[in-house]
């Protein structure tokens, strides 16, 4: 196909972030929006997201953005259109006993932002689900947490954007970005504003602007674990921040869990090329997940794996995204580096990036914490409480 002409706003990347941004631009009245995706909508890391919606952060800004996401996903069918696949599971977060003060501080941050979350003892965990082993960790509980279907959400945003007048063009690869222009393998497009939301491919598109976004493409391995037939009803989602560093949540398929890693060390062995990520999880990874599940979930030991996959995280030095104008190219905006926790933030990012395009500034959320220049200045976000890389 041939692509040329001009658009008021060009969004690069057809994952949940790009689709949300395109949709929110049309909500703001921008009719000449062009969303470009090199394969098809929801073909990249979003398609392999476990799509957990939780508000457990240490930074108030991220709590507020995640809470916006939870509200948006629960009202998705009425507001955006189409199903979201949202399922409320509740979520338990466990840390080593020596980190109790940190966990309590984290809960206090959430509660100060209106999140329903509280520290729970072993007896209370047993009331939530007696199969969760709780006598060796301290836990907090977030009853409103859950998960969505990432494909339904992403295509829902894209279809709603199209209904609002946006052009969603698939099968076109962006090869370069400049202020006022996007170069593709199907021709160049003049642009009033350019938004780069291409996940682990974003940094290479920004280098021509003289800006270095320090992204490490890192492999994230997820397994689908079939619980024994006698296990019963699905457990809540659980994040185990002890030495195990695993999380799991019920899958849409009854009797199946999706299991992944919370360990930041996988970013220490980066992928040379985000396009060359292995398809499935390593056998050693799945064995470690199985052992962790058997320790944390009574009755899970007799289960078996029903497949696995690998996704690619776009990891920044502080595990938090860069959202804002690209230095030296004020008509170009970046929204990338979400480090594996962007799905829950996508509705907030869409809204605030639309403000940057339309108003030249963010009003819904103060983005100073996520300034793209913070890496140059050495002002990393980091977690305020140290049992995880959560910001």
């Amino acid at each position: 196909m041939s692509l040329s002409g001009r658009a008021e706003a060009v969004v690069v990347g057809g994952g949940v972030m790009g689709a949300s941004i395109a949709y929110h631009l049309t909500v703001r009245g921008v009719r000449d929006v062009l969303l470009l995706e090199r394969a098809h909508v929801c073909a990249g890391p979003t398609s392999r997201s476990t799509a957990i919606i939780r508000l457990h952060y240490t930074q108030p800004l991220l709590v507020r953005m995640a809470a916006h996401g939870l509200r948006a996903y629960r009202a998705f069918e009425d507001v955006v259109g189409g199903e979201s696949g949202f399922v409320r599971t509740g979520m338990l977060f466990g840390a080593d006993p020596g980190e109790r003060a940190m966990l309590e501080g984290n809960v206090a941050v959430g509660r100060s932002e209106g999140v329903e979350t509280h520290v729970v003892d072993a007896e209370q965990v047993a009331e939530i689900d007696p199969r969760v082993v709780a006598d060796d960790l301290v836990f907090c509980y977030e009853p409103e947490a859950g998960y969505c279907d990432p494909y339904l959400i992403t295509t829902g945003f894209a279809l709603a954007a199209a209904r609002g007048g946006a052009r969603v063009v698939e099968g076109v690869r962006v090869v370069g970005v400049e202020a006022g222009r996007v170069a593709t393998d199907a021709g160049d497009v003049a642009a009033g504003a350019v938004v780069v939301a291409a996940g682990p491919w974003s940094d290479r598109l920004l280098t021509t602007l003289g800006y270095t976004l320090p992204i490490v493409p890192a492999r994230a391995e997820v397994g689908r674990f079939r619980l024994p037939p006698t296990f019963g009803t699905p457990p809540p989602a659980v994040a185990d921040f002890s030495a195990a560093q695993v999380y799991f949540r019920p899958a849409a398929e009854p009797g199946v869990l999706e299991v992944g890693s919370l360990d930041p060390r996988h970013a220490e062995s980066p992928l040379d090329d985000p396009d060359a990520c292995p398809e499935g999880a390593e056998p050693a990874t799945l064995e470690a997940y199985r052992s962790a599940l058997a320790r944390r979930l009574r009755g899970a030991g007799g289960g078996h794996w029903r497949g696995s996959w690998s996704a690619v995280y776009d990891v920044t030095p502080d595990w938090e995204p860069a959202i804002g104008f690209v230095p030296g190219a004020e008509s170009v905006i970046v929204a990338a580096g979400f480090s594996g926790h962007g799905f829950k933030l996508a509705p907030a990012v869409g809204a605030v990036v639309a403000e940057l395009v339309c108003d030249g500034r963010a009003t819904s959320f103060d983005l100073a914490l996520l300034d793209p220049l913070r890496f140059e200045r050495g002002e990393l976000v980091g977690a305020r409480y140290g049992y995880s890389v959560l910001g």
Side-chain angles (χ1 to χ4, degrees), residues 56-278:
H56 190 80
Y57 281 100
T58 69
Q59 296 287 347
L61 168 65
L62 297 170
V63 175
R64 289 193 289 272
M65 293 178 77
H68 179 97
L70 175 61
R71 292 191 297 271
Y73 290 142
R74 294 185 72 162
F76 195 81
E77 186 170 358
D78 293 334
V79 176
V80 179
E83 298 178 33
S84 69
F86 179 78
V87 177
R88 177 178 169 269
T89 63
M91 188 162 187
L92 287 159
F93 303 83
D96 288 321
E99 295 172 324
R100 183 182 185 91
M102 297 179 188
L103 188 75
E104 290 175 342
N106 221 4
V107 168
V109 170
R111 292 178 68 86
S112 71
E113 295 294 333
V115 177
E116 184 181 352
T117 179
H118 45 275
V119 176
V120 288
D121 59 26
E123 290 184 0
Q124 291 169 307
V125 171
E127 292 174 3
I128 296 165
D129 193 316
R131 298 165 299 186
V132 177
V133 177
D135 55 2
D136 59 333
L137 301 180
V138 291
F139 281 89
C140 68
Y141 183 54
E142 193 178 297
E144 297 304 314
Y147 67 89
C148 287
D149 183 314
Y151 178 79
L152 290 176
I153 290 292
T154 307
T155 55
F157 274 138
L159 289 169
R163 290 194 298 270
R167 289 177 289 158
V168 180
V169 178
E170 301 174 314
V172 169
R173 182 184 296 268
V174 174
V175 296
V177 169
E178 299 176 10
R181 187 177 74 93
V182 174
T184 81
D185 60 2
D188 293 357
V189 180
V194 180
V195 182
V196 177
W201 298 272
S202 298
D203 56 332
R204 62 184 67 178
L205 296 176
L206 297 170
T207 55
T208 56
L209 299 171
Y211 169 65
T212 300
L213 177 60
I215 283 178
V216 173
R219 182 183 181 188
E221 299 167 89
V222 178
R224 288 177 59 81
F225 188 79
R226 164 68 72 181
L227 292 161
T230 56
F231 186 83
T233 58
V238 174
D240 181 345
F241 290 109
S242 68
Q245 289 285 312
V246 299
Y247 72 87
F248 57 85
R249 64 113 165 137
E253 181 183 352
V256 174
L257 301 179
E258 294 186 0
V259 189
S261 175
L262 296 163
D263 194 339
R265 288 175 295 182
H266 64 265
E268 296 173 5
S269 300
L271 296 167
D272 293 328
D273 181 356
D275 288 312
C277 183

Side-chain angles (χ1 to χ4, degrees), residues 280-350:
E282 297 295 331
T285 300
L286 295 179
E287 183 54 38
Y289 288 174
R290 179 198 291 275
S291 297
L293 271 178
R295 289 193 301 270
R296 190 57 53 204
L297 199 58
R298 296 181 181 93
H304 61 274
W305 294 108
R306 285 287 304 275
S308 66
W309 66 87
S310 292
V312 183
Y313 286 174
D314 48 338
V315 178
T316 62
D318 57 12
W319 286 72
E320 301 304 340
I323 307 173
F325 290 104
V326 173
E330 297 305 311
S331 63
V332 180
I333 296 164
V334 61
F338 288 90
S339 305
H341 60 106
F343 186 88
K344 62 190 68 59
L345 304 178
V349 174

Side-chain angles (χ1 to χ4, degrees), residues 61 323 365-372 374 377 379:
L61 168 65
I323 307 173
F365 303 95
D366 181 355
L367 294 178
L369 190 74
L370 307 178
D371 183 357
R374 72 183 186 276
R377 297 194 298 259
E379 298 173 358

